[in-house]
Amino acid sequence: MRKLLSAAAFAGAATMSVPLAAQDYADEYAPVAQSGDLASLSEKLGDPDKQYEMAMMIQTMTEVLLDLPLAPLAEAAAEIAGEDPARVDPNLTLRSLSPQSSDVPEKVGRAVPRAMGAVAGMAKGFEAMLPALREMADRMEEAASDY
């Protein structure tokens, strides 16, 4: 039952809709990423203020997810498994399923700026590699046409 509840909890959390704040960030970063303007993307992702904002937003979202009521989902999972749904704790949350998870939001908050900085660096490096990659693609196309 515990495995089923954990799976149900994960599925519930994974299928939640994206909060408006997260959507704002997606609206801001997606067009830049899709445009191929890696310098601009690198600049946005490397901005310490943006990194802090994103870290706080994701840290807050993680806190909310840990305290999300899971009893209705767990009751449905218990019913499907042929178990008594009345045995499900009505105060069930991800945090109560995994008490050691309480430190996860802070860890996420610390990791987000580092991850954004790493992606910014990769974007900058990839941009520097683009001319060489284009030249390589041209040579490969040329070599393939010989066959």
Side-chain angles (χ1 to χ4, degrees):
M1 170 78 168
R2 193 159 185 87
K3 286 183 183 177
L4 180 61
L5 288 177
S6 294
F10 178 78
T15 58
M16 282 187 55
S17 63
V18 177
L20 289 177
Q23 189 61 49
D24 288 346
Y25 279 95
D27 291 344
E28 179 178 349
Y29 289 97
V32 176
Q34 291 170 355
S35 74
D37 183 0
L38 296 176
S40 179
L41 180 63
S42 178
E43 185 179 317
K44 281 182 175 289
L45 291 172
D47 180 349
D49 291 335
K50 292 289 185 186
Q51 291 174 350
Y52 177 79
E53 287 175 21
M54 182 73 79
M56 292 301 98
M57 180 190 65
I58 293 174
Q59 185 172 337
T60 301
M61 288 171 53
T62 305
E63 283 287 348
V64 169
L65 281 174
L66 287 176
D67 295 324
L68 186 70
L70 297 177
L73 183 61
E75 288 167 355
E79 234 176 277
I80 290 169
E83 298 180 15
D84 182 11
R87 292 183 51 202
V88 172
D89 176 4
N91 298 315
L92 185 66
T93 63
L94 285 175
R95 192 183 306 271
S96 68
L97 279 174
S98 180
Q100 69 274 19
S101 66
S102 289
D103 63 345
V104 169
E106 185 181 330
K107 287 180 179 179
V108 168
R110 284 194 314 265
V112 167
R114 285 194 311 266
M116 289 176 72
V119 172
M122 287 173 28
K124 198 177 276 187
F126 190 72
E127 183 177 45
M129 291 174 52
L130 276 176
L133 291 170
R134 285 188 181 115
E135 182 182 328
M136 182 182 72
D138 290 344
R139 284 189 295 173
M140 289 176 72
E141 184 178 356
E142 207 173 284
S145 68
D146 292 342
Y147 294 99

